[in-house]
Amino acid sequence: QVQLVESGGGLVQAGGSLRLSCTASGRTFSSVAMGWFRQAPGKEREFIAAIKWSVGNVYYADSVKGRFTISRDNAKNTVYLQMNSLKPEDTAVYRCAAAPVGKIPTSERSYDVWGQGTQVTVSS
């Protein structure tokens, strides 16, 4: 059974930084893409970033490009989301997810395993 556990959320002032972590277990992750999504109250879930585990190709939503960076640590089975220059509109629950290789990494429907999520709150 695959499990994803996120950590690193919290409260930060606008302009600040946070790093989210997503640690995976129970699966060979060389054949997946890992993604980060967020959902703010009253809004639909939004794709943020993804990385193909084996080759390291990365994808970003326009809203976070240049501010957020996704990376992975193979030895730790962990994906990170470094978030800089945070804005109040980045406030949301952030969830990581895993998608089988070959699926479109920017599409929510590609992902079949989800973490519980971690709250990120950016104050103005």
Side-chain angles (χ1 to χ4, degrees):
Q1 184 73 18
V2 178
Q3 288 188 326
L4 303 176
V5 179
E6 301 100 333
S7 62
L11 173 64
V12 64
Q13 288 188 332
S17 299
L18 282 174
R19 188 177 78 159
L20 306 183
S21 301
C22 173
T23 300
S25 61
R27 187 174 188 174
T28 301
F29 291 94
S30 60
S31 60
V32 303
M34 298 293 293
W36 284 97
F37 293 78
R38 69 185 181 189
Q39 188 167 20
K43 294 187 177 181
E44 294 188 351
R45 187 180 297 167
E46 174 188 16
F47 166 77
I48 296 302
I51 185 168
K52 288 188 176 180
W53 195 277
S54 59
V55 296
N57 292 357
V58 295
Y59 308 83
Y60 295 100
D62 289 342
S63 58
V64 305
K65 202 171 292 184
R67 299 189 298 125
F68 292 10
T69 302
I70 189 170
S71 62
R72 73 199 189 295
D73 184 326
N74 291 347
K76 296 181 179 180
N77 266 4
T78 298
V79 173
Y80 302 99
L81 185 68
Q82 178 67 44
M83 305 186 295
N84 299 328
S85 302
L86 283 162
K87 306 174 182 180
E89 52 262 43
D90 294 318
T91 295
V93 174
Y94 285 70
R95 299 178 72 182
C96 68
V101 67
K103 298 290 187 178
I104 300 173
T106 58
S107 172
E108 179 181 346
R109 286 178 286 185
S110 296
Y111 292 83
D112 57 0
V113 180
W114 292 82
Q116 293 292 325
T118 185
Q119 176 70 45
V120 171
T121 303
V122 184
S123 63
S124 57

